[in-house]
Amino acid sequence: MIRQCWIAAAVAAAVIGMNLTGCSAGGRAEQDETQPGGTGLAGSETDTESGSLKEITFVLDWTPNTNHTGLYVAREKGYFKEEGLDVKIVQPPEDGAVVLVASGKAQFGMSFQDSLAPAVAGESAMPVTAVAAVIQHNTSGIVSRKGEGMDRPKGMEGKTYATWEMPIEKAMVKNVVESDGGDFGKVKLVPSTVTDEVSALRTKSVDSIWIFYAWAGVKMELEGLDTDYFAFADLNPAFDYYTPVIIANNSFLETDGETARAFLRAVSRGYEDAVKNPREAAEILCAAAPELDPELAAASQEYLADKYQADAAQWGYIDPARWNAFYGWLNENQLLDTQIPENAGFSNDYLPQ
């Protein structure tokens, strides 16, 4: 379910010239403020019982989940207020979080390095920058029913794969299948946006699905579905890219960098708390988004606890070598109309020093 936002973000890059006003989150779960506010790039100030706070809008990539926990922990524990901020967490409009951040209607948002690629360079470039890695390593891969030979990429031959029909997605699957000695042409591509991975596999509507293990994989474990799984990061070092990331509006970063740093100081504390106490963090997330399954949220939070920061020196750090490796792979395979320059699209300058 979570990865549906990839489609919206990729489409957003193509429609940046469309009218950016009147965005709404119609159809999304009602949680927090579902209508993105026009707070302005530098933020506005609001009087509260604790004084004057600067308003910041953060737009999610999809409905609330454990990728977002640090935001809710920072809000619940008052870390934003300690930094002088009043942070509104909103659902994305139909054309995606990237468009809302690029337009200046939100200062920050959630996105992914792969889906940001069209926005980084060329005529479709958008004024956004990745400023923090939410999870340090790529936790996505291909899941299938156990024992059907798809525990390795070559095993996808002759089987159905639920594809989003995205060029980068299909190129990555092709790479791992052929690197394993398989024939990608023999993989049966079924255009499908799977919203319930467990049901899709159990009913055999598809044989394999690209998932992010922290949510869909954990859900399969809880529901007792035996699966085989291989991770992209284990098969090609270039595929250990950053997903998800926090993005910010470039004009906001240029004109109000100190506020950006204050925001990331608070968010860092939120994710650090989620690492130290995942159970408490899951409870905070579920209190903010009561539609979530508490058991799934708790189990997902436990899975992510050692993955938010992993081997990085601090939460949020983006390794230039790994960032450039993935975009370099896109360049080499001519998957975009424009080559992405080295070190384009990210910055560690706003993380706590």
Side-chain angles (χ1 to χ4, degrees), residues 300-324:
S300 176
Q301 206 68 64
E302 289 286 350
Y303 173 86
L304 283 175
D306 64 353
K307 294 176 177 58
Y308 286 125
Q309 182 172 336
D311 53 356
Q314 67 177 118
W315 176 85
Y317 180 75
I318 296 174
D319 179 0
R322 283 176 43 219
W323 182 275
N324 290 326

Side-chain angles (χ1 to χ4, degrees), residues 2-13 58-63 65 67-68 71 90 92 95-102 106-120 126-138 168 212 241-249 263 271 315 318 323 326-327 345-346:
I2 297 172
R3 196 53 176 168
Q4 290 177 347
C5 57
W6 185 3
I7 297 172
V11 171
F58 188 102
V59 58
L60 302 177
D61 53 287
W62 197 245
T63 51
N65 56 71
N67 284 350
H68 311 134
L71 293 159
V90 304
D95 50 3
V98 178
V99 165
L100 203 66
V101 175
Q107 288 82 14
F108 294 96
M110 193 77 77
S111 189
F112 309 86
Q113 186 183 353
D114 50 356
S115 59
L116 276 175
V120 171
M126 303 168 78
V128 298
T129 297
V131 293
V134 176
I135 298 171
Q136 189 57 216
H137 293 281
N138 184 357
I168 294 175
F212 278 73
Y241 55 84
Y242 287 96
T243 175
V245 293
I246 291 176
I247 60 172
N249 177 277
F263 173 84
Y271 280 101
W315 176 85
I318 296 174
W323 182 275
F326 180 65
Y327 282 167
F346 82 96

Side-chain angles (χ1 to χ4, degrees), residues 148-220:
E148 296 187 7
M150 287 170 282
D151 56 330
R152 53 185 289 183
K154 179 176 169 44
M156 295 176 72
E157 289 183 337
K159 305 294 198 307
T160 57
Y161 165 67
T163 175
W164 300 297
E165 293 272 77
M166 305 302 293
I168 294 175
E169 167 222 358
K170 290 193 287 187
M172 289 178 61
V173 176
K174 181 176 187 288
N175 176 271
V176 297
V177 168
E178 294 186 349
S179 295
D180 193 34
D183 182 351
F184 180 68
K186 294 181 180 179
V187 178
K188 299 177 182 178
L189 303 180
V190 178
S192 175
T193 301
V194 176
T195 57
D196 186 338
E197 296 87 354
V198 174
S199 294
L201 290 182
R202 277 184 170 155
T203 60
K204 299 188 176 181
S205 60
V206 293
D207 297 323
S208 58
I209 309 169
W210 184 326
I211 65 166
F212 278 73
Y213 203 90
W215 196 259
V218 170
K219 181 180 179 182
M220 290 177 186

